[in-house]
Amino acid sequence: MSNRLTDTLFQLVHSLEKSEKRHFKLYIKRSSAKEDLKIIQLFDALDKLPEYDEKLLLKKLPGIQKPQLANLKSHLYKQLLASLRLIKASDNIDLQLTEQLDYARLLYTKGLKIQSLKIIERVKEIARANQKFNFLALVLSLEKKIETLHITRSSHESVDEMAEESLFIAGHIDRVTRLSNLALQLYRRYIRDGHARNEQEEKVIKEFFKAKLPSNAHEIQGFYENLYLCQSYCWYAFIRQDFLMYYRYAQKWIDLFNADPRMISVETGHYIKGMHNLLNAHFDLRNFSKFDDVLEEFINYSKTDTANQHDNFRTHTSIYINGAKMNGHLMKGTFKEGLALIPEVESKLQEYALYVDNHRILVFNYKIATLYFGSGSFEKSIDYLQKIMNGHHANLRTDLQCYARLMHLLAHFELGNYDIIEYLIKSVYRFMAKMQNLTVVEEEMFKFLRHSFGVSPRKMKPELETFLDKIKHLEKNRFETRAFAYLDVISWVESKVYEKPMSEIIHQKYLESKHTRR
């Protein structure tokens, strides 16, 4: 995969669909220039290469010398983007608006000021209807330039309205910028470190959130302001493991789109991300029936034209749905049934290799390892955990890296590999301590594992019962629940105490919870 990602032109060529490749060739062949015929040869050669290899590429292009290649690649890249812009313009409101504004600018430079202003009026209407205020600011800037430099016979009223609208948009953009910055900073903090590990970390997050949240945040109006406000609260709650607040704002996030369905096609990426977060919230709260309902709704949405309009939408919808399906099996204890998903997930990750980030791969490897662990396939679990432990994830999810090592240790414990367990205990403990990832649950676990070496098999059950008693009361502690969310230690110990498979223990809890809620 690393070779495939080394060349930007290679990435672009291999991201194209059949219709886009066909359109490009029609677009480029309109010109009979010799140089353009060479870039078609380069395009075809790149399209047939499974991985980027410059030496092999030059062999396939005998008429092109190495010094020419860089310029040809640059020319091909620009022509591909120009072709894509033409074919995608009708699918994207931003491209449509940009195109119209370009026309207005061209007419103005030709001295056709009135024609330019007519286009500007149409563009403003479209921008307002789709709440594209950032773009509206650009349009108003051109309009004010024309009105300032030329006599257009515009009325005083229209000029005053323009000035008033400019001030309103400036305030709107400022609020959206502040809220989107806050949402982004919180999200990046979660990607780097995961959940807050203690009261001190929670205090830091609270102070940061309070300092960055606009003072009038709850008085705001407008789709984008509310969207970024919901996102900010979602990440704030999720980092603090306040899963009820997380659910409430994930639902508000989706409610914004339900109140104005037109925005689903305008901001499809945000809608898909919102559905993903709503599913995660139901998973964290173990809202089994609502989880199933939202997942079904999301699957139905994934089949719509809007969801399949762009590579990003299609890719992320597929990834989030597969991740949610895995979560469904994890929370219901149906681990063996969940294993059936793995071939499709890995196939999709390979298919979308150009688009999938390392964080997503890290999460999937952990979910797959957990499914294997829960189903009793400890060797296979170790294989996937080693992908996390040996991967290049230094600045990604230190929490997952810690729990991957802990699960790896438990898998070897299950396999009876006692010759390496003592070493692993020391190694994992040092790593988690270094990452400041040790909670009371992990401390108790390490104590039990160290102590287990001197305990005979027939005396192990009382030791397990004591260990279970020590950690069971921590199940409701917010800062300890993180350990149970990543690795259901309580169910693992219960499976040892009651001599039942871990999957059976979790499934029984799921059935009891469903019965209680009814």
Side-chain angles (χ1 to χ4, degrees):
M1 194 181 297
S2 58
N3 287 336
R4 296 186 67 193
L5 300 177
T6 55
D7 187 85
T8 53
L9 176 59
F10 182 86
Q11 286 181 47
L12 180 57
V13 170
H14 280 259
S15 73
L16 299 177
E17 299 169 8
K18 286 183 179 179
S19 60
E20 292 166 346
K21 292 175 184 179
R22 186 168 58 250
H23 181 270
F24 167 70
K25 289 194 173 182
L26 290 171
Y27 167 78
I28 205 67
K29 283 178 180 176
R30 290 171 188 165
S31 167
S32 59
K34 189 176 179 181
E35 197 73 7
D36 287 340
L37 295 178
K38 282 186 178 181
I39 71 167
I40 289 181
Q41 293 172 15
L42 175 59
F43 174 83
D44 289 335
L46 284 167
D47 192 29
K48 291 172 184 174
L49 283 179
E51 291 184 349
Y52 185 74
D53 185 332
E54 195 159 291
K55 289 182 180 178
L56 182 59
L57 179 62
L58 286 167
K59 283 182 181 178
K60 291 178 176 290
L61 300 166
I64 297 173
Q65 300 300 314
K66 188 172 182 178
Q68 297 175 280
L69 187 60
N71 286 336
L72 273 177
K73 285 173 67 178
S74 176
H75 184 41
L76 174 56
Y77 194 85
K78 290 176 183 176
Q79 293 295 339
L80 281 169
L81 290 178
S83 172
L84 280 173
R85 193 184 193 285
L86 284 174
I87 197 173
K88 294 293 185 183
S90 60
D91 299 337
N92 190 295
I93 189 65
D94 292 305
L95 289 176
Q96 291 173 37
L97 290 169
T98 301
E99 182 181 61
Q100 292 297 313
L101 181 56
D102 288 344
Y103 292 159
R105 287 193 178 110
L106 287 170
L107 288 168
Y108 173 61
T109 59
K110 294 292 292 179
L112 302 173
K113 300 176 284 297
I114 303 302
Q115 290 186 42
S116 178
L117 288 170
K118 285 181 179 178
I119 289 181
I120 284 172
E121 279 305 315
R122 289 201 299 271
V123 174
K124 282 162 65 177
E125 288 176 15
I126 298 170
R128 289 189 194 109
N130 292 279
Q131 304 200 43
K132 293 291 182 180
F133 292 101
N134 277 17
F135 193 85
L136 199 51
L138 294 174
V139 181
L140 282 168
S141 176
L142 177 58
E143 186 179 19
K144 285 194 289 184
K145 180 179 180 180
I146 295 171
E147 295 288 359
T148 302
L149 297 176
H150 308 280
I151 299 171
T152 62
R153 298 176 183 171
S154 296
S155 66
H156 290 296
E157 290 80 6
S158 63
V159 170
D160 289 341
E161 285 173 9
M162 191 192 315
E164 192 174 321
E165 186 172 22
S166 295
L167 289 173
F168 170 78
I169 289 170
H172 170 85
I173 291 174
D174 178 66
R175 291 188 297 274
V176 167
T177 300
R178 290 172 184 273
L179 288 167
S180 60
N181 285 348
L182 177 57
L184 178 62
Q185 288 171 308
L186 289 168
Y187 180 57
R188 288 304 172 198
R189 192 269 179 204
Y190 170 72
I191 294 298
R192 189 187 67 223
D193 299 326
H195 298 292
R197 292 167 283 196
N198 48 52
E199 289 183 2
Q200 180 56 37
E201 286 195 359
E202 184 184 44
K203 182 182 177 183
V204 171
I205 290 296
K206 282 183 174 180
E207 289 174 352
F208 174 81
F209 186 77
K210 185 178 179 181
K212 296 290 184 179
L213 187 70
S215 57
N216 62 342
H218 295 281
E219 300 170 11
I220 62 173
Q221 295 180 351
F223 177 85
Y224 285 99
E225 290 164 294
N226 278 298
L227 175 66
Y228 289 118
L229 179 67
C230 289
Q231 290 181 5
S232 297
Y233 268 101
C234 267
W235 296 122
Y236 172 63
F238 192 57
I239 291 172
R240 295 170 48 249
Q241 298 179 89
D242 185 342
F243 295 131
L244 189 57
M245 178 189 276
Y246 176 48
Y247 156 69
R248 285 172 179 161
Y249 279 93
Q251 185 62 63
K252 287 181 179 181
W253 182 338
I254 293 302
D255 288 343
L256 285 172
F257 286 96
N258 292 336
D260 190 356
R262 182 172 43 97
M263 295 304 293
I264 294 175
S265 60
V266 176
E267 289 295 350
T268 308
H270 283 294
Y271 177 75
I272 291 169
K273 189 77 170 183
M275 291 295 282
H276 167 61
N277 278 282
L278 184 56
L279 280 166
N280 276 349
H282 287 311
F283 170 71
D284 290 324
L285 291 170
R286 296 302 189 262
N287 291 333
F288 301 107
S289 61
K290 288 185 178 180
F291 177 90
D292 290 338
D293 291 343
V294 174
L295 179 54
E296 184 180 359
E297 182 183 346
F298 199 17
I299 291 171
N300 290 334
Y301 168 76
S302 72
K303 299 170 185 175
T304 64
D305 291 339
T306 304
N308 290 280
Q309 197 172 49
H310 295 158
D311 295 319
N312 272 334
F313 305 156
R314 186 165 50 251
T315 302
H316 286 94
T317 301
S318 170
I319 286 170
Y320 292 150
I321 286 174
N322 280 327
K325 286 178 178 178
M326 284 185 161
N327 281 346
H329 290 293
L330 291 173
M331 70 178 178
K332 295 172 186 177
T334 51
F335 295 103
K336 289 185 178 177
E337 291 88 337
L339 296 179
L341 293 169
I342 294 174
E344 181 188 352
V345 168
E346 294 191 318
S347 173
K348 288 295 183 184
L349 288 176
Q350 185 63 32
E351 180 184 346
Y352 299 139
L354 292 172
Y355 317 107
V356 181
D357 58 85
N358 284 334
H359 174 250
R360 195 57 53 195
I361 293 170
L362 180 74
V363 171
F364 269 116
N365 281 333
Y366 190 83
K367 288 183 191 295
I368 293 170
T370 308
L371 286 172
Y372 276 120
F373 185 91
S375 62
S377 301
F378 302 111
E379 294 95 340
K380 291 291 291 181
S381 180
I382 287 170
D383 289 342
Y384 282 90
L385 292 168
Q386 285 179 332
K387 291 181 181 182
I388 298 172
M389 294 159 58
N390 300 329
H392 303 290
H393 309 299
N395 298 315
L396 278 178
R397 296 296 299 279
T398 54
D399 54 341
L400 268 190
Q401 293 184 55
C402 286
Y403 287 106
R405 284 163 172 78
L406 191 56
M407 193 190 302
H408 179 259
L409 169 59
L410 292 182
H412 279 291
F413 180 84
E414 288 279 11
L415 292 169
N417 296 332
Y418 300 115
D419 53 329
I420 64 167
I421 285 178
E422 190 171 2
Y423 161 77
L424 286 175
I425 290 172
K426 293 177 181 177
S427 174
V428 177
Y429 186 87
R430 278 198 304 269
F431 185 86
M432 294 186 77
K434 180 183 176 183
M435 296 295 177
Q436 298 180 326
N437 224 85
L438 285 168
T439 65
V440 176
V441 174
E442 284 94 35
E443 291 281 11
E444 290 296 336
M445 184 177 293
F446 282 115
K447 285 179 187 176
F448 164 75
L449 291 169
R450 291 191 197 101
H451 184 63
S452 66
F453 281 106
V455 179
S456 63
R458 56 192 185 83
K459 291 184 179 180
M460 183 61 77
K461 190 170 182 178
E463 294 294 330
L464 284 161
E465 289 173 343
T466 302
F467 176 40
L468 180 61
D469 184 59
K470 285 181 178 179
I471 63 173
K472 186 77 174 174
H473 72 281
L474 297 170
E475 201 170 8
K476 302 300 181 184
N477 184 308
R478 187 153 53 87
F479 293 112
E480 300 298 332
T481 54
R482 188 173 63 139
F484 306 130
Y486 288 110
L487 179 59
D488 194 343
V489 179
I490 289 177
S491 294
W492 177 74
V493 180
E494 287 175 340
S495 73
K496 299 294 177 194
V497 171
Y498 303 128
E499 298 177 359
K500 292 180 179 180
M502 183 177 171
S503 57
E504 188 177 325
I505 295 289
I506 295 175
H507 190 63
Q508 187 58 43
K509 290 178 182 179
Y510 159 64
L511 294 176
E512 289 172 1
S513 177
K514 276 187 73 177
H515 179 73
T516 302
R517 293 185 186 214
R518 281 177 184 170

